[in-house]
Amino acid sequence: MQMLTYIIKRILLMLLTVFIIFTICFVLIKSLPQPPPVGNADQVELELELRDRLGYNRPIMEQYGIYLKNILTEGNWGTSWKIEKFADVTDVLFSRITPTLVLNIYSLIFAIPLGIILGIIAALKKNKWQDHLISTVVMLFVSVPSYIYAFLVQYLLYFKVGGIFESDIYSITEAGTKLGYSAEVIKQMIANGEAWKIYLSGPMFVSMILPILSLAFGTIAGLARFTRAELTEVLTSDFMLLARAKGLTKRQATVRHAMRNAMVPILPMIIGEFASVLSGSLIIEQIFGVPGVGALYLSSINLLDYDVFLFVGMFYTLIGLSASILIDLSYGFIDPRIRMGAK
Amino acid sequence: MKNNIDINNIPKEKFELIGERDLHDVKFDTKPIGYFQDAWIRFRKNKASVAAACIILFILLFSIVVPLVSPYEINYSETGYSNKLPKDKFLMQFGIATGQTTRKMNLNAFTKAMAVGMGAADVNGTGDVTYEDGYLNEYSSVKVIGDPYMSQDAVYRDVSVDVYLEEGFRFFRVTEAELESMKAWEQATGKKLLYPMIDTKNDHPGTEDANVWYKTKSGTLQPVSVKQVIGGVVTTPLDITAGDKLVPNYLYDSQGNAIYATPSDSTMWRVRVLYYNYYQWAHEGKEPYHLLGTDNSGYDICVRLAYGIRLSLLIAVCVSVINLVIGTVYGSIEGYFGGWVDIIMERISDVLSGVPFIVVATLFQLHLSAKVGPIPSLLFSFVLTGWLGTAYRVRTQFYRFKNSEYVFAARTLGASNSRLMFKHIFPNSLGTIITSSVLVIPGVIFSESMLSYLGIVAIHGDAGTSLGTMLSSASDLFTKYPHEIFFPALVISLLMISFNLFGNGLRDAFNPSLRGVED
């Protein structure tokens, strides 16, 4: 029960924070001059009329009222004027979540086990050559920015090795064609919201190998370092000595006691990683041409599509805050001692 | 009870003089080691951190010294020599930075490459130069010729060329005064600048390419014939031998002398110049040596890199210092007063920490970049949320120490709030704060380079350059010119690694609980 009130309190606080941030961002964005409409005469006329009807020419606080009302009553977060003309920004964003999600989840599936295993090896072989090797490599990969790996894998794997590697990921039509669908079928699939079937397909995966690698290096290194630090600390604690003293082999003691205790801080970190996959990596999506959320954010800035910009910005805010709540709560779920302490 | 003395009214006779002897603590026989001295001793033991500090120092020196000694300015750009490889007069002798690359060439491409040296050797436009003459000429772009081999039914060679000399000849439109200046320069230096013009009005019309001074089959690069010295038999052989010659296609006057300049219109002349010497003429005798090569706009990478490092470090240090000040003051007030002050201030930092940095940075750029410039607005966006971490750390330290006995003692002695905060409690958090201030730097360098790479922050033109801008301008063609992306990427990586190692070393050194634990 106490847990529940705590969760509710956290969520309400988060909504309040989101609301304040939204208000500030709204005022800041709407006080910028709205770029003039582009397109043919009909579109310009339509756009001006739509803007007028949506209250774009009124004072900012009045616009704010209209905007809030639209969000609360219709779930309408505004209109994209540039990226997809007159489309709902929610539709624009949600159509781009799939590639970001698929790419990031592939990379996590690859990175998490590897990171943990490397961390465990380094901790168990502490101060031996395995540890020194892993720790040095991890130090390098934690520090070097991800876009540098991106260039490196592009240069080495795509340009020098070649073969199955692609420099950019396939567009949905390219991948669809490789799967043997005709153009009409692909259009039909996108319209029916079945684009994810193409994104999950084999050819798409192959074209995603390089961005997956570039995203994974940082995660692997971060996780390995964290796991090593936690596990070495647990391995030197008194209960490990007790476990050995009561007759467990080193292997048994490590698996049954050390690992489980070390996982307490590691699992929330992994959960946090999963929660933030939705935001996507701006720079990796830019380098590999992934049509995801990060790319949408960038094009909304470049084209000054302010409604999209505001919505993606709020989406990022929400993801970030939810991730931190999730991390805090997961500590309680994972570790009974912390749960007891809350009572 | 008699023992129950009224503490405010102790009778005078209860006190007794202890005498005239001096009251002193026993002197330590050992030398006292202060907090910072201890940290320094332990920092020195950490080899990786010391190495990192040296690398940082080296990069810093590089960024300060290079613009002072480099012959190139930051805004110097020579589009004729864009995307050129590293070349340095001194290092060339050791086989590094030679400005040479190996290309696979078919016969026509090889002829064209050889023709640069041959053209340069043929000062009078007689066409009486052999391949060997061209190869031995100092302006020959071809440095090493590989043996011919068959590949896909054609003869190829791997040829090592100097990318600067490869530019060969160019047509220029110059004024009368410039033409005179060129002639005077030729007289003064003894170097040849003006070369014979190409005949465009015969059966073998020259193209716009000033390097094709020999007769070619119409529309192709294939030379019409190669004069062979032996017997003067005109044939087109499959391969080139040293004594072969090309058929010249120069413009001659009625006396058969080569023409060096043709009128373009009433005021301008059209000339054909050797670009390597033209460059020297235009830059007061300076030869094109770029230690790290040039980028796609013809900027010198070495100088731009130094300015990029300066900018990155400057922003990072500014952000670190400003964050330190704001975070310290904010965190101290929060932690010291506690209660509702703490609650309200914590809410404010909660809201601020909820805003994604990328959104803050973008909004600042959109709003302020036109008014105060991209770099100050970038600084503002770093500062807006950057101090939260420092404030949090300081607050924790205050909660830990504000109820300790020594603070009570100081308060009893009448110390003011600000004295208690900054003289008594704050020094406890100095170690953590210094460490976190150093660890802020790589984060700022990363974010700055990322934002300028993505173009959210536009640092070019008058604003100078940034490492991210260099990366993004190099990234379009980086598989073709990897050196352009290699140097900025290397510097960013080194900076990030060194600052992380340095910061970690500081953290360990400032952590008293680790004293004596190592080894």
Side-chain angles (χ1 to χ4, degrees), chain B residues 184-364:
Chain B
W185 187 85
E186 281 188 334
Q187 290 279 317
T189 59
K191 287 176 181 169
K192 192 74 185 141
L193 176 58
L194 295 162
Y195 278 85
M197 295 297 286
I198 290 169
D199 189 358
T200 51
K201 297 216 169 50
N202 60 15
D203 298 341
H204 308 283
T207 53
E208 275 311 296
D209 192 335
N211 285 325
V212 187
W213 54 265
Y214 48 91
K215 287 193 169 141
T216 56
K217 289 199 174 139
S218 177
T220 65
L221 270 179
Q222 193 186 342
V224 276
S225 57
V226 173
K227 278 197 239 166
Q228 290 206 318
V229 174
I230 310 151
V233 187
V234 178
T235 50
T236 309
L238 275 173
D239 196 25
I240 293 161
T241 50
D244 291 349
K245 292 177 186 172
L246 288 165
V247 184
N249 192 24
Y250 292 126
L251 205 56
Y252 300 104
D253 61 12
S254 48
Q255 273 94 48
N257 294 323
I259 297 171
Y260 291 88
T262 52
S264 173
D265 51 43
S266 55
T267 53
M268 304 293 273
W269 288 86
R270 202 156 181 270
V271 291
R272 177 168 166 267
V273 297
L274 183 66
Y275 196 75
Y276 197 82
N277 282 346
Y278 173 81
Y279 178 93
Q280 293 181 47
W281 169 75
H283 294 93
E284 291 141 11
K286 193 157 67 185
E287 278 186 73
Y289 287 111
H290 296 275
L291 180 59
L292 303 182
T294 62
D295 71 1
N296 59 358
S297 312
Y299 288 122
D300 180 65
I301 290 179
C302 193
V303 168
R304 309 268 299 171
L305 200 58
Y307 277 96
I309 298 168
R310 277 186 187 187
L311 182 77
S312 279
L313 287 180
L314 197 69
I315 291 179
V317 170
C318 282
V319 169
S320 173
V321 170
I322 297 173
N323 285 350
L324 180 75
V325 174
I326 301 180
T328 305
V329 172
Y330 195 93
S332 315
I333 296 175
E334 261 185 315
Y336 183 75
F337 291 106
W340 60 267
V341 176
D342 185 31
I343 292 176
I344 291 176
M345 290 176 93
E346 268 297 90
R347 280 296 129 251
I348 295 174
S349 31
D350 265 2
V351 171
L352 281 179
S353 69
V355 194
F357 170 71
I358 186 93
V359 176
V360 176
T362 316
L363 279 174
F364 267 103

Side-chain angles (χ1 to χ4, degrees), chain A residues 28 31 143 147 154 282 297 317, chain B residues 354 358 362 367 449 478 496 500:
Chain A
L28 283 177
S31 60
S143 305
Y147 49 81
Q154 254 189 356
L282 287 176
Y297 181 79
T317 313
Chain B
I358 186 93
T362 316
H367 267 278
S449 61
F478 84 93
M496 300 281 293
N500 276 328

Side-chain angles (χ1 to χ4, degrees), chain A residues 61 93 98 112 148 152 182 206 215 230 250 284 301 309:
Chain A
M61 287 332 282
L93 176 67
T98 322
I112 288 172
I148 306 235
L152 217 61
S182 66
V206 171
L215 281 171
E230 291 301 327
K250 192 171 182 201
I284 297 292
I301 300 168
F309 172 59

Side-chain angles (χ1 to χ4, degrees), chain A residues 100-140:
Chain A
T100 296
L101 205 62
V102 171
L103 181 62
N104 278 283
I105 288 186
Y106 276 144
S107 109
L108 285 186
I109 290 174
F110 168 64
I112 288 172
L114 207 61
I116 292 181
I117 290 170
L118 285 177
I120 291 174
I121 294 174
L124 292 180
K125 305 273 179 190
K126 197 178 174 218
N127 289 336
K128 297 207 180 90
W129 67 266
Q130 293 97 329
D131 176 36
H132 292 307
L133 180 71
I134 291 174
S135 295
T136 314
V137 173
V138 158
M139 184 66 216
L140 290 181

Side-chain angles (χ1 to χ4, degrees), chain B residues 439-469:
Chain B
L439 285 174
V440 159
I441 292 176
V444 172
I445 293 173
F446 170 71
S447 304
E448 180 268 323
S449 61
M450 183 186 83
L451 289 172
S452 49
Y453 175 81
L454 292 173
I456 294 176
V457 180
I459 303 177
H460 41 65
D462 290 341
T465 190
S466 120
L467 295 173
T469 314

